[in-house]
Amino acid sequence: MKVLKFGGTSVGSSDSILKVKKIVEEQKEQLVVVVSAVGGVTDQLIKAANLAKKGENICFDVLSEVKEKHYNIIGELFPLDIAQTIKFKTDQLFDEVSTIIKGVYMLKEITEKSEAIISSFGERVSSFIISQLFEGGKLFESQKFIKTDKVFGKDTVDFEETEKRLLEVKDELVQVNVFPGFIACNKKDEVTTLGRGGSDYTAAIIAATYDAEVLEIWTDVNGFMTADPRIISRAYCIDKLSYSEAMELSHFGAKVIYPPTILPVYKKSIPILIKNTFNPEAQGTLINDEKEPLKDKKIKGISSIKDVSLLTIQGIGMIGVTGIAMRLFKSMAQENINVILISQASSENSISIVIESAVSKKAVKLVEKEFKAEIALNQVNNISVETDMAVIAIVGENMKHTTGISGKLFNSMGRNGVNIYAIAQGASELNISFVVKEKDLKKGLNTVHEAFFLSHFTVLNLFLIGTGTVGKMLIEKINNQSEKLLNENKLRLRVAGITNSRKMMLNPQGLVVNGILNDLMAEGEQANLDVFTQRVKDYNLANSIVVDCTANQAISEIYQGLLESNISVVTANKIATSSGYESYQKLKTTALNKGVKFLFETNVGAGLPIIGPLNNLVMSGDKILKLEAVLSGTLNYIVNTVDENKPLSEVILEAKEKGFSEPDPRIDLSGTDVVRKILILAREAGYEMEQSDIDVVPFVPQKYMDCASLEDFMKEIVEYDGAFEQKRKELANAGKKLRYGAKLEGGKATVGFIEIDSKHPFFDLEGSNNIILINSEHYKEHPMQIKGYGAGADVTAAGVFADIIKVANK
Ligand SMILES: NC(=O)C1=CN([C@@H]2O[C@H](COP(=O)(O)OP(=O)(O)OC[C@H]3O[C@@H](n4cnc5c(N)ncnc54)[C@H](OP(=O)(O)O)[C@@H]3O)[C@@H](O)[C@H]2O)C=CC1
Ligand SMILES: N[C@@H](CC=O)C(=O)O
């Protein structure tokens, strides 16, 4: 035999009831079908009862709505003649409840008995209607079999009597036997109810009594999910759980079953199968007591509860005093306040409990009252309550005796800036629960889910600033590489925001990358850096990365706040790293302390790996003695391209068009770009330096730099074409070349021209290439040499892309 229970949504309309019919008719085994009331009906009945109690005659309208709802369902399910007969019988049931509601209305008073009759009425009607669907089906009135007794003022199932009565009719069972859920009767044969999760309970009691092979709970979800799918879009259905795991997950918010109701089947080891009425093909979740191999998933699911508060009682006078915890919990119990989580450090200096926020004020008053004497004596000095909190719990039997689970859990929280207020783990090691701010719940859940369920798959949430030469190429790379990254590196790049100086567009669910620039300009809102930054922070997404592909000062000023909010920064913009040493150092320290990344490899040499190898040398204990380099793609392109037919002014424009120069090429031609680069390298090599410490000879005379605009500059610089060509020719005649170099030696940096002959390692440096020679303690005689393309949209975007990927390497 199988017991199938269908919940309110499964019997919520004629369409869904037809699905139930199909599911039932497809079964070969003998069945007990337990049904809830039609979705929403129990609430309506309780509403009608409450209105009647207040003497409000709209209670009868509410009852009429309920009747109408059932009439519609009957009309849609059955042919006219049969429908008439069913309606007639249903009318009799409605007359019964209508009489009771009238009585309540007249007396403006409701008894426990009438309340039970009214609230369980929905199951009586739904079970009657559904029993008529099956040929030869039989309706059993649960109240005749499920017996309750008052235990401490609460209707509690009398298992002995219930079992006896159910077994008495076992031989009368047919193929399809319908029982209303939730409803029961006491010793005086007065109607009672089984409380929350009542229909599950009815089904579990019947399954246990008849030793059913399985209890199937048919609901509107595919089963237990790894996390709440409304919060974690990538949550998936768990195929197997142990009873304890299912109970833990349910306890912590997964509303698939109500834990106490499964006890009868748990005791008899009857498996429970959670199935979806609206997607019966889905495998569902099987709950039984089979142990899963230890190597299998340690964590089965993540649950969460929100709208809770953290109450903490603290005082030196609590240390070593017995009875403090007992008094705290007693004070909560007195007012039926449910304690969701308890945490106490071994110092005994404080105890924290989590309770529903709705009762937090009351709870504080109760604790203050209980510890009045201790407060007066300063033995208890603080009773605090943190509201807007949430509890996250990870659940899994195989966590037991497995090291590293909590390490991984809390490490992932820390890296994403999720502060943990309290932790609880029972000795059963089945559940680790911790308290976070409710605003961090989504991020926390995402982070845990990623860490334990999708560790083969990391999502990086990107916020792109700048859609110019480099930014545009980066978007192209993201678009082209995404699939490969997902398949080969298990990395998903999600662009959650994009802005340039004109428009911005954000969506925490991710934007469509293909055509994103057109969408930005067509549908984006007006750009506003403050709003953009605030939204990035407010979304609070795990693995958030802001990528700066601008040359803008204001953007560089948002990095500190972002890093402080646990958001990584990847930047091609050199302003932050080459501004004041203190702020540069602060950015790096903040990133380190917050466990996020601040990466700027493209600041020197574009796509060439220079900062990374330099860092590696320094970290390995090497000392950088000397750096000699050509660090400007633009200026190297100019010295390599200018000749008698191609004047300087023309080549400057060409370098800009080729994407080598800064947005304003004067930054290159003044030497500033190279100054910034050698400064960054000097700092990364361990020297505390400022831009003003660097001697610089500009690439073109200073007077041109003083032009009011770039346009003026381009006009004026033409007059310098001749002198520049003259110098180049003289050097060429002497077998020499001009390079614009940078040098760091003995803590002193210089930037300017160097004239070199063919023996010099920079002599053959072609096009826009860069070169750097690193002399260190380990590379003394033969310097480390890094050489290659030093500018250009493609290589720079590739460098930025590589930095983004590095963020995933934790
Ligand atoms: N080219 C290269 O070889 C290399 C470049 N870099 C660096 O890359 C950075 C970008 O260079 P490049 O792509 O050539 O520059 P572009 O001038 O082509 O693009 C700059 C982008 O920044 C946007 N922008 C400017 N101000 C703001 C603001 N306040 N808010 C939002 N967006 C803003 C611009 O918006 P809008 O489109 O509206 O104007 C534009 O999209 C520079 O810092 C450069 O030094 C680093 C290494 C090599
Ligand atoms: N303008 C720079 C680009 C990279 O930083 C250069 O020309 O090297």
Side-chain angles (χ1 to χ4, degrees):
M1 174 196 280
K2 278 183 173 185
V3 176
L4 274 57
K5 179 255 163 176
F6 293 92
T9 42
S10 298
V11 296
S13 68
S14 53
D15 277 350
S16 47
I17 294 176
L18 286 173
K19 289 188 172 45
V20 169
K21 183 173 190 278
K22 187 162 181 277
I23 292 163
V24 169
E25 286 175 347
E26 276 169 4
Q27 312 284 329
K28 297 201 173 41
E29 298 84 349
Q30 187 182 37
L31 298 181
V32 167
V33 176
V34 177
V35 294
S36 296
V38 168
V41 160
T42 308
D43 285 346
Q44 276 178 299
L45 290 165
I46 292 169
K47 185 177 164 193
N50 286 331
L51 289 166
K53 199 167 80 179
K54 288 187 208 153
E56 294 184 27
N57 62 9
I58 53 163
C59 61
F60 301 110
D61 297 342
V62 177
L63 195 61
S64 301
E65 280 169 28
V66 173
K67 193 170 176 179
E68 186 77 13
K69 198 181 253 181
H70 287 92
Y71 268 25
N72 288 341
I73 290 177
I74 296 168
E76 285 158 11
L77 286 177
F78 300 97
L80 200 62
D81 52 335
I82 299 177
Q84 289 299 351
T85 322
I86 296 174
K87 276 184 191 167
F88 178 72
K89 181 75 203 297
T90 312
D91 268 346
Q92 290 177 338
L93 292 171
F94 270 102
D95 286 347
E96 250 181 68
V97 76
S98 176
T99 311
I100 293 167
I101 288 190
K102 261 184 209 144
V104 175
Y105 172 73
M106 305 286 285
L107 295 170
K108 293 203 180 65
E109 191 178 86
I110 191 161
T111 61
E112 205 179 314
K113 191 170 137 193
S114 349
E115 200 169 9
I117 297 177
I118 297 169
S119 60
S120 61
F121 177 71
E123 275 78 6
R124 285 181 68 199
V125 194
S126 67
S127 58
F128 168 66
I129 297 170
I130 289 166
S131 69
Q132 301 302 305
L133 281 174
F134 308 108
E135 221 184 299
K138 192 167 173 183
L139 176 65
F140 289 80
E141 292 179 344
S142 298
Q143 64 272 35
K144 291 191 181 150
F145 311 100
I146 314 281
K147 286 294 176 186
T148 58
D149 205 355
K150 276 261 188 271
V151 178
F152 298 118
K154 202 175 155 224
D155 289 317
T156 308
V157 174
D158 176 347
F159 282 99
E160 215 181 304
E161 184 62 21
T162 300
E163 211 167 276
K164 188 173 140 250
R165 290 189 179 215
L166 280 170
L167 289 173
E168 274 167 11
V169 290
K170 194 170 183 203
D171 290 343
E172 293 167 31
L173 295 176
V174 292
Q175 171 62 20
V176 179
N177 306 281
V178 181
F179 283 71
F182 186 55
I183 190 167
C185 251
N186 63 17
K187 280 198 167 125
K188 290 189 254 168
D189 279 337
E190 292 164 347
V191 169
T192 56
T193 63
L194 297 183
R196 196 179 145 196
S199 295
D200 285 354
Y201 207 9
T202 309
I205 294 165
I206 298 174
T209 308
Y210 291 149
D211 284 321
E213 66 186 77
V214 63
L215 164 61
E216 294 185 1
I217 307 270
W218 288 81
T219 176
D220 55 357
V221 290
N222 283 351
F224 274 87
M225 305 291 279
T226 48
D228 186 341
R230 289 165 303 180
I231 306 179
I232 313 289
S233 55
R234 291 181 297 142
Y236 55 87
C237 191
I238 308 166
D239 49 2
K240 271 171 115 189
L241 285 174
S242 70
Y243 291 111
S244 315
E245 288 168 338
M247 284 198 238
E248 289 285 344
L249 285 171
S250 305
H251 216 81
F252 270 90
K255 297 206 169 51
V256 184
I257 49 167
Y258 179 52
T261 61
I262 64 170
L263 263 170
V265 281
Y266 165 65
K267 281 189 189 158
K268 287 206 158 181
S269 294
I270 294 170
I272 304 171
L273 181 61
I274 311 291
K275 292 282 285 178
N276 188 350
T277 307
F278 305 94
N279 184 15
E281 290 75 31
Q283 186 184 352
T285 303
L286 179 66
I287 305 164
N288 59 19
D289 56 8
E290 264 174 42
K291 287 263 170 290
E292 284 200 65
L294 259 177
K295 64 173 174 41
D296 282 5
K297 278 224 146 53
K298 308 277 183 264
I299 306 298
K300 288 296 195 58
I302 310 161
S303 243
S304 59
I305 312 177
K306 42 185 204 167
D307 299 325
V308 294
S309 296
L310 182 70
L311 186 151
T312 302
I313 171 167
Q314 188 254 327
I316 315 169
M318 288 165 54
I319 301 170
V321 180
T322 52
I324 297 276
M326 185 268 287
R327 286 169 58 199
L328 174 65
F329 298 126
K330 197 183 75 192
S331 68
M332 297 295 103
Q334 267 163 3
E335 291 287 329
N336 274 330
I337 294 178
N338 184 28
V339 176
I340 297 164
L341 177 147
I342 307 160
S343 170
Q344 181 189 8
S346 57
S347 69
E348 301 177 40
N349 178 35
S350 67
I351 305 177
S352 296
I353 57 170
V354 173
I355 49 179
E356 280 178 15
S357 285
V359 293
S360 64
K361 282 197 181 127
K362 188 163 138 193
V364 171
K365 284 203 182 111
L366 288 167
V367 180
E368 278 170 354
K369 193 172 155 206
E370 178 65 40
F371 293 95
K372 200 171 165 195
E374 285 83 354
I375 294 169
L377 293 170
N378 270 337
Q379 287 170 341
V380 165
N381 28 31
N382 195 11
I383 295 166
S384 64
V385 69
E386 295 261 4
T387 52
D388 301 321
M389 307 301 282
V391 182
I392 299 179
I394 60 169
V395 171
E397 295 250 31
N398 282 350
M399 282 202 286
K400 215 171 283 176
H401 309 311
T402 306
T403 53
I405 301 276
S406 49
K408 187 171 174 182
L409 173 69
F410 296 121
N411 182 23
S412 69
M413 290 296 124
R415 263 200 332 264
N416 280 287
V418 177
N419 190 31
I420 291 162
Y421 287 75
I423 301 170
Q425 179 190 5
S428 68
E429 297 183 55
L430 181 63
N431 173 327
I432 302 177
S433 307
F434 55 99
V435 184
V436 299
K437 274 272 171 213
E438 195 171 314
K439 72 168 178 49
D440 283 334
L441 176 61
K442 186 170 179 184
K443 190 186 204 176
L445 283 173
N446 263 302
T447 307
V448 185
H449 199 257
E450 193 168 273
F452 289 100
F453 293 96
L454 307 163
S455 43
H456 54 290
F457 185 140
T458 303
V459 178
L460 298 180
N461 289 297
L462 307 181
F463 296 89
L464 309 179
I465 311 184
T467 60
T469 312
V470 176
K472 206 177 286 174
M473 189 57 78
L474 177 66
I475 291 164
E476 211 176 299
K477 289 205 184 299
I478 293 172
N479 200 20
N480 295 340
Q481 289 299 107
S482 280
E483 209 176 307
K484 189 165 177 269
L485 269 179
L486 191 62
N487 295 332
E488 294 177 17
N489 303 69
K490 306 299 171 207
L491 262 190
R492 171 171 287 171
L493 301 184
R494 182 200 281 149
V495 178
I498 184 164
T499 183
N500 54 29
S501 70
R502 295 155 287 161
K503 290 283 179 87
M504 67 178 189
M505 195 162 69
L506 295 108
N507 182 349
Q509 313 297 335
L511 298 162
V512 178
V513 180
N514 201 356
I516 196 168
L517 287 181
N518 289 339
D519 294 348
L520 172 69
M521 297 322 287
E523 294 157 25
E525 55 188 305
Q526 196 182 347
N528 181 321
L529 185 59
D530 289 342
V531 175
F532 187 87
T533 314
Q534 196 51 51
R535 284 198 208 157
V536 174
K537 291 180 187 171
D538 289 347
Y539 290 161
N540 206 8
L541 300 175
N543 300 326
S544 289
I545 312 172
V546 166
V547 185
D548 180 5
C549 290
T550 75
N552 189 283
Q553 166 92 30
I555 311 282
S556 71
E557 286 166 8
I558 66 171
Y559 300 171
Q560 184 62 35
L562 291 169
L563 295 169
E564 278 166 11
S565 304
N566 291 81
I567 295 163
S568 292
V569 174
V570 167
T571 181
N573 182 351
K574 304 160 195 115
I575 295 179
T577 42
S578 60
S579 299
Y581 181 82
E582 209 178 305
S583 58
Y584 149 85
Q585 198 51 52
K586 194 170 166 198
L587 289 169
K588 293 192 54 147
T589 317
T590 309
L592 202 66
N593 291 342
K594 291 284 178 178
V596 290
K597 300 274 171 77
F598 174 46
L599 299 174
F600 45 89
E601 179 62 84
T602 53
N603 279 193
V604 182
L608 283 182
I610 298 178
I611 294 175
L614 193 70
N615 287 158
N616 290 343
L617 290 179
V618 175
M619 277 190 299
S620 69
D622 202 354
K623 184 168 166 46
I624 306 301
L625 304 173
K626 185 164 81 171
L627 299 177
E628 283 177 289
V630 168
L631 296 173
S632 170
T634 302
L635 303 184
N636 205 48
Y637 180 77
I638 292 175
V639 293
N640 281 332
T641 313
V642 169
D643 63 21
E644 58 267 34
N645 303 316
K646 268 197 175 212
L648 172 71
S649 55
E650 200 181 308
V651 182
I652 293 174
L653 283 178
E654 221 175 84
K656 183 161 171 56
E657 273 156 27
K658 285 184 181 287
F660 301 149
S661 81
E662 292 305 292
D664 181 344
R666 289 176 294 178
I667 299 287
D668 301 283
L669 296 158
S670 60
T672 304
D673 184 65
V674 178
V675 167
R676 286 173 175 170
K677 288 169 174 168
I678 193 71
L679 177 66
I680 294 166
L681 293 180
R683 286 173 171 180
E684 292 294 301
Y687 296 95
E688 194 178 320
M689 282 175 77
E690 300 289 353
Q691 277 197 32
S692 53
D693 297 328
I694 298 169
D695 286 341
V696 54
V697 176
F699 189 83
V700 296
Q702 184 58 43
K703 66 170 186 166
Y704 296 108
M705 294 301 138
D706 301 333
C707 292
S709 68
L710 180 57
E711 221 179 0
D712 290 349
F713 168 82
M714 289 313 299
K715 278 186 205 142
E716 298 278 313
I717 198 71
V718 177
E719 72 176 37
Y720 185 60
D721 284 349
F724 190 80
E725 169 55 10
Q726 177 68 25
K727 188 166 184 190
R728 183 200 68 81
K729 213 187 269 169
E730 277 170 21
L731 282 172
N733 290 340
K736 289 187 171 180
K737 280 185 184 173
L738 197 60
R739 295 282 175 233
Y740 193 73
K743 190 170 170 183
L744 172 77
E745 192 170 19
K748 179 97 195 87
T750 51
V751 168
F753 284 107
I754 43 174
E755 296 169 7
I756 53 172
D757 60 25
S758 61
K759 290 196 196 89
H760 197 281
F762 297 173
F763 192 80
D764 291 323
L765 195 67
E766 290 166 12
S768 62
N769 283 2
N770 282 190
I771 185 166
I772 179 158
L773 306 178
I774 305 175
N775 267 98
S776 68
E777 299 280 4
H778 297 156
Y779 290 84
K780 222 174 224 164
E781 312 235 312
H782 302 286
M784 180 189 278
Q785 190 177 119
I786 302 166
K787 185 176 169 184
Y789 297 122
D794 202 14
V795 285
T796 309
V800 174
F801 197 85
D803 272 355
I804 291 173
I805 307 301
K806 273 185 221 153
V807 176
N809 304 330
K810 287 152 190 161

